[in-house]
Amino acid sequence: MLFNSFVFFFFLLTVLPIYYLLKTKRHRNLYLLGVSYIFYGYWDWRFCFLLLASTIIDYILGLKMGAVTEPKKKKLFLYVSIIVNLGILGFFKYFNFFIESFQHIGSQFGYNVDFLHLHIILPVGVSFYTFQSLSYTFDIYKGNLKPIRDFWDYALFVAFFPQLVAGPIERAVILIPQVSRKNHATKQQFLDGTILIIYGLFKKVLIGDASGRFVDQIFTHMDRYSSWEVVFAWVLFSVQIYADFSGYSNIARGTAKLFGFELMKNFNQPYLSTNITEFWRRWHISLSSWLRDYLYIALGGNRKGKGRTYVNLFLTMLIGGLWHGASWTFVIWGGLHGIYLAVHKLMLGNKKITAVHHPLNSIRNVLKVLPGMVFTYLLVLIAWLFFRAKGMHDVYAVVGKLENWTWGTYPWRFATILLGFAGVSFICDLFEYKTQSHVFLNRIKYPPLMYGLLCAMFIGVALFLINSKPAPFIYFQF
């Protein structure tokens, strides 16, 4: 069930009133759990069994870890959780990827392993709920969380539908306490939730989906377009994926607020970052912080010398790239960001960096941070090519366009399209940056103007959806 569809609007308007008619926490949580499985099963009901199996296994292992005091036994249960969860993820997401890779190598020596190839359907959101469930067993092992006794509350933590299929990847220490209490949205939460949903739909549909049509057309038929047009599509993809994923995260957060839950902010104007480290503290925050806390630190972090620190950064991002998809292009994308981070760490030396709010209130201040922002964006843009490419043949095609530069027939038209979408996205970011809030519309002190803008945005989204098929979120494939 897609957030950007009339089916979801009907689903939400049906589910929400019934939720508030239920009086007890137990009834509300059981109801939310049931509708979450309906939401997830809308794609394919068979996926629900995998979700349930993962939930049962980690619930039992959590209780086992909480019941023992010996570090070795506790570590054993943690390893079982890791093996089971990564085993599920590896089989459904990477089995055919590795078979295809072995098949390519085997063919060089006359061997055929095609019989090992299985027709596996990738369950929607498996990467997200696997990492979320793992955070629960990790936190119990580290002593940050006590095992939850109520199985149904734990099942809701794993399956909570607003963030089930594409995040944010919530931490058990943050979401489980919310699940364990009776939730009732305040008036402010309801207003903020509504704003986030409409604003998220605006970004996803009117920026992400609309710009994605041009990106898909050009990348699918690169032979028909000039070098300039391909480069414009490449840059436009950076706008598309940001609008698509940040829009989804806003809808997820807004929907959760309507039920009285608070989810973490997943994006914080990443393209205004002045260095690559800051970028990863602003982009897909729930994943980058997960990788930092549960992988980078587990590998040794910066505790084992400078050389090992650089290796750990590279390995963390390499694995993060593979998490995104079963393709060597994703591995290269992650590896590039690993190199970026390691080099930046090397340049920093012993200095520490924090994601700061750079003042943009004067030309002087803008010019001061602009070189860093532009350079960081260019590094990210180079890596986005591998993220967007369906395979290395796409990368080679783009490189070929750059080697044999052509002007084309419609470069100015595509330049105008790019500037339009990028300009709207940039204006949205500036408002967020200035107010440090994704619900900046509630800062409008004249209510009719605020509600008028919200209605206009929603009508624009509705008209677009009436005339086109809802486009899946890019991160659904992960």
Side-chain angles (χ1 to χ4, degrees), residues 151-200:
F151 171 76
W152 305 112
D153 282 0
Y154 176 72
L156 178 57
F157 155 72
V158 178
F160 187 44
F161 79 88
Q163 46 80 229
L164 172 60
V165 294
I169 305 171
E170 286 296 325
R171 302 299 179 86
V173 293
I174 301 298
L175 189 54
I176 283 181
Q178 296 185 65
V179 171
S180 299
R181 66 170 186 257
K182 184 178 179 181
N183 289 285
H184 188 95
T186 64
K187 288 183 178 180
Q188 190 61 50
Q189 279 182 310
F190 224 90
L191 175 60
D192 289 350
T194 303
I195 292 173
L196 280 172
I197 291 172
I198 296 176
Y199 178 45

Side-chain angles (χ1 to χ4, degrees), residues 280-474:
W280 274 105
R281 293 177 183 178
R282 294 178 176 274
W283 176 274
H284 203 345
I285 300 169
S286 64
L287 175 64
S288 60
S289 60
W290 196 101
L291 292 172
R292 178 196 64 209
D293 295 343
Y294 300 120
L295 182 56
Y296 173 70
I297 292 177
L299 289 171
N302 58 1
R303 304 186 305 275
K304 298 186 177 182
K306 291 183 178 180
R308 181 65 181 272
T309 298
Y310 308 141
V311 171
N312 290 342
L313 282 169
F314 177 75
L315 288 176
T316 298
M317 294 310 299
L318 197 70
I319 295 171
L322 187 59
W323 175 90
H324 279 81
S327 170
W328 289 112
T329 53
F330 287 118
V331 175
I332 294 171
W333 173 81
L336 280 174
H337 276 283
I339 293 171
Y340 294 162
L341 290 169
V343 171
H344 186 233
K345 184 73 173 177
L346 176 64
M347 293 172 62
L348 284 173
N350 295 323
K351 295 180 181 178
K352 290 187 178 181
I353 184 169
T354 57
V356 295
H357 184 70
H358 309 289
L360 302 176
N361 53 0
S362 69
I363 295 178
R364 181 180 179 182
N365 287 333
V366 170
L367 292 176
K368 185 178 179 180
V369 299
L370 188 60
M373 288 182 178
V374 172
F375 183 69
T376 302
Y377 173 74
L378 289 175
L379 290 178
V380 173
L381 182 64
I382 291 170
W384 276 143
L385 173 60
F386 295 92
F387 196 97
R388 175 57 182 81
K390 296 299 183 183
M392 289 304 297
H393 57 278
D394 278 354
V395 177
Y396 298 145
V398 173
V399 172
K401 291 289 183 180
L402 299 180
E403 290 177 345
N404 304 292
W405 202 265
T406 56
W407 180 254
T409 308
Y410 305 109
W412 291 115
R413 180 180 297 180
F414 285 110
T416 303
I417 291 169
L418 170 61
L419 289 174
F421 285 116
V424 173
S425 182
F426 182 68
I427 290 170
C428 290
D429 263 15
L430 283 181
F431 279 117
E432 292 179 10
Y433 198 75
K434 182 68 175 178
T435 61
Q436 286 295 283
S437 172
H438 288 167
V439 290
F440 56 85
L441 286 172
N442 66 11
R443 304 288 181 93
I444 299 174
K445 296 182 179 180
Y446 185 57
L449 177 59
M450 180 187 72
Y451 290 118
L453 286 172
L454 289 173
C455 288
M457 292 166 71
F458 185 76
I459 290 171
V461 168
L463 290 174
F464 188 94
L465 293 178
I466 288 172
N467 293 290
S468 62
K469 184 179 179 181
F473 291 86
I474 292 175

Side-chain angles (χ1 to χ4, degrees), residues 210-259:
S211 63
R213 290 182 171 187
F214 297 100
V215 174
D216 293 343
Q217 172 65 21
I218 294 175
F219 267 86
T220 304
H221 306 285
M222 273 191 278
D223 56 313
R224 303 178 186 176
Y225 294 94
S226 70
S227 302
W228 276 108
E229 291 160 351
V230 170
V231 169
F232 288 149
W234 181 2
V235 177
L236 189 56
F237 175 71
S238 70
V239 177
Q240 177 200 358
I241 191 171
Y242 176 41
D244 186 281
F245 197 15
S246 64
Y248 175 91
S249 295
N250 282 348
I251 301 169
R253 292 176 60 218
T255 303
K257 281 179 180 289
L258 298 184
F259 293 92

